[in-house]
Amino acid sequence: KNVISYNRTYKSFRKIFYPKNYDEIKKILKSVKDKKTKILVKSGGCGHGDKTNLGTSDLIMSLEKINKIKDFNIRKLTLTAQSGINLHTLFETLKNKNLSILNVPGGKNVSLGGAIAGNVHGRPQMNNFAVFGDNIISLKVMLENGKIIKISKKNKLFYKIIGGLSLFGI
């Protein structure tokens, strides 16, 4: 498929995988590792770094189908969602319950995983909520070997993942 960078200045032909579940992600990661190649992982459609990344790999894994809200606890004001969910969809879901998430960037293509990986900023804002990562309580991260770990704010890895541009896991 021809892929165009977010800022539309770079175009290249790449093979794109669209896994529908975590087992498919694990298989793709294993295949990439076995072939000793690289893969660009995208969850939305607007990675500012994709111009550089598209030049280093012929493979892309899109997480756009890993996009479900897994749990929504209104009493605790917590929501668990998969990384490919679109922030616009998430924002509208919360808005329908008279709730909000803070620091949502403009545009309708930003995903939850992308917002976490880039630690983006936007509107609405509040004191103590300067960037998107301030919304996050914990993360489940898939490591390169396919193992999934849960990381809370007490873990040093948490702050490497928030804003880490997906260098430390999916």
Side-chain angles (χ1 to χ4, degrees):
K1 178 178 180 178
N2 271 323
V3 180
I4 300 172
S5 64
Y6 176 67
N7 62 5
R8 304 204 179 281
T9 59
Y10 185 79
K11 181 166 110 175
S12 62
F13 188 80
R14 300 292 183 242
K15 183 173 183 176
I16 304 177
F17 299 93
Y18 294 92
K20 296 180 192 87
N21 57 52
Y22 300 122
D23 287 336
E24 289 182 13
I25 293 173
K26 288 178 187 180
K27 287 178 187 175
I28 293 167
L29 290 176
K30 183 177 180 341
S31 174
V32 167
K33 186 175 181 179
D34 289 348
K35 292 177 183 173
K36 297 181 180 169
T37 188
K38 296 179 181 180
I39 190 165
L40 171 64
V41 179
K42 295 182 78 155
S43 52
C46 57
H48 288 286
D50 60 4
K51 182 176 180 182
T52 303
N53 292 330
L54 286 173
T56 61
S57 176
D58 292 331
L59 306 173
I60 297 173
M61 178 169 41
S62 171
L63 301 180
E64 67 186 58
K65 294 186 179 186
I66 311 289
N67 61 8
K68 308 286 184 277
I69 293 175
K70 302 298 275 183
D71 184 52
F72 190 4
N73 189 323
I74 293 177
R75 189 174 47 83
K76 290 184 178 180
L77 296 176
T78 61
L79 182 138
T80 302
Q82 295 175 320
S83 63
I85 193 166
N86 179 287
L87 282 188
H88 182 261
T89 301
L90 188 58
F91 189 86
E92 289 299 316
T93 299
L94 292 169
K95 185 177 162 184
N96 288 338
K97 303 284 187 189
N98 292 319
L99 298 170
S100 183
I101 193 165
L102 302 170
N103 297 302
V104 177
K108 292 188 176 184
N109 293 327
V110 181
S111 67
L112 176 60
I116 291 168
N119 202 15
V120 299
H121 57 87
R123 301 204 189 308
Q125 295 176 329
M126 281 179 58
N127 288 340
N128 300 323
F129 284 85
V131 290
F132 191 82
D134 293 335
N135 291 292
I136 309 302
I137 297 168
S138 66
L139 301 161
K140 283 188 181 176
V141 178
M142 183 179 292
L143 304 176
E144 185 179 3
N145 63 7
K147 182 178 178 184
I148 298 174
I149 60 173
K150 186 173 181 178
I151 300 171
S152 71
K153 288 185 177 185
K154 294 177 184 177
N155 188 313
K156 289 180 186 178
L157 188 57
F158 183 87
Y159 291 102
K160 288 183 177 181
I161 293 170
I162 303 286
L165 304 175
S166 299
L167 295 174
F168 298 96
I170 297 175

